[in-house]
Structures are given as structure tokens and as C-alpha cells.
Amino acid sequence: MSLLSSEVLVGDRPLTGADVVSVSRHGAAVRVSDAGLAQVRETRALIESLADDPRPHYGISTGFGALATTFIAPERRRQLQASLIRSHAAGTGAEVEDEVIRALQLLRLQTLASGRTGVRAEVVEVYAGMLNAGITPVVREYGSLGCSGDLAPLAHVALAAMGEGEVRVRGGDVTSAREALAAASLTPLVLEEKEGLALINGTDGMLGMLLLAAHDLEMLLDTADVAAALSIESQLGTDAVFAADLMQLRPHPGQRDSAAHLRALLAGSGIVASHRDPEVCTRVQDAYSLRCSPQVHGAARDTLTHARLVAERELAAVIDNPVVTLDGRVESNGNFHGAPIAYVLDFLAIAVADVASISERRTDRALDVARNQGLPPFLAHEPGVDSGLMIAQYAAAGIVSELQRLAAPASVDSIPSSAMQEDHVSMGWAAGRKLRRAVDGLARVLAIEVITGARAQRLRAPLRPAPATGAVADLVCEAAGVPGPDRFLSPEIEAVTDLVSRGAIARAAASALSPITSEEHS
């Protein structure tokens, strides 16, 4: 996993996913490089020369979208830019999470600092200053179609930079943008030619959500292996099917890595060793949900690898329309179309739903007395009087059903806009919004499997677990208690979900791996 930074430099190189996580989630400072500011000033001089040209230039001396043929006189252009932002800040619905907005702000800052958009250095400096001051514009959930960029979300950010609208400041309080800028000694922007378009024509919101999801899923897929190891071990499954030579027969990298992880997690398990003798265990094969865990988890890993590749390409992109080319031309283009990002956001939602689905099936097996190899029904302390984890499985099943609905792609939908000028859109923002919900659901389903596996493992005593799975079960029991009579279960699920989401489950397993097995997994 990439290391996070305390300061992120913008303008010298493309940002990384770790940069975005550092700033958006952990409050790292940003600094625009001198070279970046010099390029910004050079390009701005070109825009100002075109602004004086009597011939119309789109976005500089014309209207926008379907009004692109309307020439705007110089004395009306400041009004044009401000009107663009005010009219496009038309989001509605619930507030978007701060980390998504900060990611969007940072990614737009990267493009502004590229020198390819034609904005003044003052614009770049205000965007950096807002991030460093913890000024987060209030952005509403609905408004972006994922084409011409994330127009409405980006317009809300630009509006705040103009000193209008509402923002949240450090601590979470809502205040006016003008008051927040003044408290941070930032002067509200008065936008000049081209700047309004440059602030809103980007894929920054959907890309930010993709990068945050990729960061979380890297950890959650490791956690899925941990959850599977707990289930395989406690349900008296075998690790023989994860052998390296078997994986070589189907050389998918993700499958190989997941199988190696499972072998490492189960190494040294007294529970697994207890039934290796064929005279003790007469089962020929485990059920698919146990035996095929690396195939499913591995396919998700490979999907994530592909999504990261798309994200890296987009991080290296400059998205604006029109854009200033390296040789000084100002050209219209379609690079703001969000299809590349929308597709992988949808692809990840499919993978998330399937990983959650196989996790829930492993949980269900552990609770079924006909299939759990000698454990009490629902892992109840006193079956009949106690219901054990019966309804925890209901919760997992309900989430999986929701995730399957969220796996329906947003990117195949399109509704024309702007008087049919923008007649095909990506819906990438919507794909990002549903992926965020899906990632949260996966964490909850995995938490329920981890709780189930830890309780089942404890019920196999005096057989000893593997060091890695045992360490995880110890952590779970600290947070959710040891097996016993029924108790209020919801807080325990929430506590373990927090452990899963923070990566504590994955770290507990990794810290207990032996050097040899850990090296094989890595």
C-alpha cells in the first residue's frame, strides 16, 4: 500500500492515489510548485491576448454549451463567468462527504496548476489556500451527469472560491464562504475570461471517488481473504486446494495472490491439521464458497488492478474545454467525457457485490447445523433459548441484495442535456456515488463473516487456530465479546465494522504471519 504524505506538491508531476488520500482524508497540506505557477502565468498571457481578438474564441469571448456562438462584449465577460458558476451550482439532495469534495478540489487544482487551462495564478493560489485552511464547500449529491465534467459539484467549489454559498470549516461547522475565506486571509475570486469554464470542466469528482474506493478496496480484499480463512478453518475446510502448483495452472495474478494469502493465513493451524487424515475427514471437496474463495477474490483483485491503471492515466490527464495545447493553440475537445472512469466504477461495483455475496454464503454455512461440521445451530450458546447469529446473517443477506442492485451499471444510461448539444453523457458521478455505498456494504458483510468465523473458531477449542486467524479472533473478541448467551448484537457488528473499515483486521492478521509465509504472500 502506498505511503501517505504530510505535504503534497502540485504542479511538477501527476498526483498519485496516495496523494489524493493524504489530502482528502488526512488533511495533508498542498503546495504549488514554482515551476507550475510560472507555466500558469505564461499560459494566462496567451488567453489575455485572445480575449482582445475581435474574432470569437469559445469560452473566452463567447457563451457556453448551446450558446457557444453568442459573442460576449469585453465589459460583460466578468458577469458571464460569474453567471456560469452561479447557474451551474445547481446541485440538490444530501451533502456529499467532505473527503470526496476535498479530493475533487485537489484534482481540479492539479489541472489548474498544469498551465493548460489559462487561469491566473491567483485562482490556483486560492484553491490551494482553501484546501490548506480546511474550507470545504457544501456540495449536493445530485447534479452531475459525468460529462462536460462534474459540472454542478465543481461549480459549487468555484462558487465558494468566489465568496458565495456555504462551506464547512475545520470542526464541521457550516458558515458562509465569504466569512471562511476572510478568516483564512483569502480574497474571493473575481473571475476573468476563460476561468469559469476551467473551474468546472473536469472529471475530478468521479476520479476522486474512484481513487478513494481503490484505496479502501485494496485493504478490504485483504480482509476478505482473512474472513475466508476464518470460515475455512472453523468449518473444517482444507487449504490443500490453494496450493501454488494448482494456482499455476490458471495464471491469473489476483487468484495467485489471494491463494498465497490464504495459505499464509492458515499456516500452522491446529484446526486444519486435525482433519488432514482422510480417515478422519471423509469429505472429498469443500463447497464452492470455501474452495473458490481465491478465484472470486482474485478476480476482484484483477478488476481493481485494471481500475487503478485507468485512474493513473486520468491522474496524468489535463481535462478542460477548451484547452491550451503545448504549442499554444486553444482547442475544443471532448476529453471531459467520463466514460473511462464510469466504466471501471461500475466494474468495481460488480466485483464488490460478488465478493460480498461469497462472504455471506460462507457466513450462512457456518450457521447451518446441517453444513457447519458439528457446530451448534446459528452458533447459539443454548439453541432454542438463544438465536445466536441468526439475524446477523439476515443483515448480511439484505446488504448483499442491495449490492446486487448497485451493481447495475450507471454508465450504460444517458439522458441528453443542454438543448441536445450534450446528447450523450457518462453518468460517471452516479457510478461513483453507488460504488461508495457498495464499499461500505462490503465492509459490513465482511465484518459479519469475521464475527461468525471468530465465534466458530472459539467453539473448536481446544483445537488451536493458526497464528494469523487466532490474532484476528482475539481482536474481534476484545471488541465484540466471547461466545455466550444472546446479547445486544448491533453494537458488536458496528464495532467490528469499524475494525474492518480502519484496516485493523487486515493488520492484525498480517502482524501475526511468520516471515516466510508473509514473504510468500507479498
Side-chain angles (χ1 to χ4, degrees):
M1 187 172 292
S2 300
L3 294 176
L4 302 181
S5 303
S6 59
E7 182 183 77
V8 170
L9 184 66
V10 179
D12 279 3
R13 58 167 178 79
L15 295 172
T16 66
D19 291 333
V20 174
V21 173
S22 295
V23 173
S24 64
R25 189 170 284 175
H26 301 290
V30 298
R31 181 168 59 88
V32 181
S33 71
D34 292 340
L37 287 173
Q39 181 63 51
V40 166
R41 292 187 179 100
E42 181 181 332
T43 306
R44 180 62 195 178
L46 172 65
I47 295 298
E48 290 175 354
S49 69
L50 293 175
D52 295 333
D53 190 339
R55 292 175 298 172
H57 296 276
Y58 176 64
I60 300 172
S61 55
T62 71
F64 310 117
L67 304 177
T69 58
T70 303
F71 181 78
I72 308 297
E75 65 272 14
R76 304 296 303 278
R77 290 175 189 169
R78 283 188 174 181
Q79 180 184 347
L80 169 69
Q81 301 301 318
S83 295
L84 174 72
I85 300 305
R86 290 168 183 150
S87 65
H88 283 54
T92 186
E95 282 188 46
V96 176
E97 306 84 5
D98 282 3
E99 67 178 19
V100 172
I101 304 168
R102 286 181 59 82
L104 178 152
Q105 289 176 272
L106 175 64
L107 291 166
R108 184 70 333 210
L109 172 62
Q110 174 181 244
T111 290
L112 298 176
S114 71
R116 306 268 59 82
T117 69
V119 301
R120 292 165 296 146
E122 293 94 314
V123 176
V124 176
E125 289 164 342
V126 167
Y127 267 57
M130 289 173 66
L131 281 166
N132 288 335
I135 298 172
T136 306
V138 172
V139 174
R140 302 291 173 181
E141 185 166 19
Y142 300 108
S144 174
L145 302 182
C147 202
S148 287
D150 290 314
L151 289 174
L154 284 163
H156 279 272
V157 174
L159 190 72
M162 292 164 53
E164 301 180 26
E166 291 183 326
V167 300
R168 288 192 180 273
V169 294
R170 284 200 178 102
D173 292 338
V174 176
T175 187
S176 73
R178 185 165 296 275
E179 290 178 358
L181 292 176
S185 299
L186 295 171
T187 302
L189 293 174
V190 177
L191 301 181
E192 304 285 353
E193 292 95 344
K194 176 67 174 66
E195 291 179 337
L197 277 178
L199 296 182
I200 64 175
N201 257 309
T203 56
D204 309 294
M206 61 187 100
L207 176 58
M209 287 187 281
L210 174 59
L211 292 166
L212 290 167
H215 176 83
D216 293 339
L217 285 172
E218 181 179 358
M219 175 272 298
L220 287 176
L221 292 176
D222 275 348
T223 306
D225 290 342
V226 174
L230 279 164
S231 293
I232 292 161
E233 181 181 53
S234 61
Q235 294 176 44
L236 304 184
T238 179
D239 59 352
V241 293
F242 310 137
D245 60 345
L246 293 175
M247 297 303 107
Q248 289 173 0
L249 296 175
R250 195 187 194 197
H252 292 291
Q255 177 180 319
R256 175 201 64 210
D257 293 346
S258 185
H261 195 197
L262 284 165
R263 292 196 304 271
L265 291 164
L266 292 169
S269 170
I271 300 175
V272 172
S274 70
H275 57 90
R276 288 194 193 280
D277 188 338
E279 294 184 4
V280 175
C281 179
T282 58
R283 280 182 296 149
V284 177
Q285 297 182 131
D286 291 329
Y288 285 7
S289 59
L290 304 179
R291 190 184 352 147
C292 300
S293 292
Q295 283 75 17
V296 174
H297 297 181
R301 287 175 181 271
D302 290 341
T303 301
L304 179 57
T305 297
H306 172 63
R308 283 190 181 281
L309 175 61
V310 172
E312 287 168 5
R313 290 169 177 162
E314 195 73 4
L315 281 168
V318 173
I319 307 297
D320 193 14
N321 182 50
V323 69
V324 182
T325 65
L326 289 172
D327 61 1
R329 292 174 293 114
V330 179
E331 297 286 357
S332 293
N333 65 92
N335 284 341
F336 50 72
H337 199 291
I341 307 171
Y343 290 173
V344 292
L345 286 165
D346 281 336
F347 197 2
L348 284 175
I350 292 170
V352 165
D354 203 37
V355 172
S357 176
I358 197 171
S359 171
E360 183 277 330
R361 287 293 80 202
R362 292 189 297 255
T363 295
D364 185 63
R365 293 190 68 82
L367 303 181
D368 184 355
V369 68
R371 295 179 292 153
N372 66 15
Q373 308 303 317
L375 295 170
F378 305 108
L379 307 186
H381 180 70
E382 188 178 348
V385 174
D386 295 316
S387 296
L389 298 177
M390 177 193 295
I391 307 304
Q393 183 268 329
Y394 284 33
I399 295 169
V400 168
S401 179
E402 166 110 355
L403 297 186
Q404 290 168 348
R405 293 190 293 273
L406 292 172
S411 57
V412 298
D413 190 17
S414 179
I415 297 178
S417 57
S418 192
M420 293 298 288
Q421 176 72 4
E422 298 166 8
D423 57 355
H424 184 274
V425 296
S426 77
M427 297 299 180
W429 174 269
R433 298 306 296 158
K434 69 186 182 67
L435 178 59
R436 284 184 65 79
R437 186 170 178 83
V439 169
D440 176 74
L442 174 59
R444 296 177 186 281
V445 172
L446 292 175
I448 291 169
E449 183 183 4
V450 166
I451 291 170
T452 303
R455 181 178 292 199
Q457 184 199 85
R458 287 293 194 261
L459 294 174
R460 294 295 182 189
L463 294 174
R464 295 183 61 80
T469 59
V472 170
D474 289 344
L475 179 61
V476 170
C477 288
E478 288 177 14
V482 297
D486 282 356
R487 52 189 180 260
F488 186 19
L489 196 53
S490 178
E492 298 183 6
I493 295 174
E494 292 302 305
V496 177
T497 297
D498 181 61
L499 293 175
V500 168
S501 298
R502 290 191 291 108
I505 295 294
R507 287 193 297 272
S511 65
L513 296 178
S514 71
I516 295 176
T517 57
S518 181
E519 182 179 343
E520 180 192 13
H521 166 51
S522 61

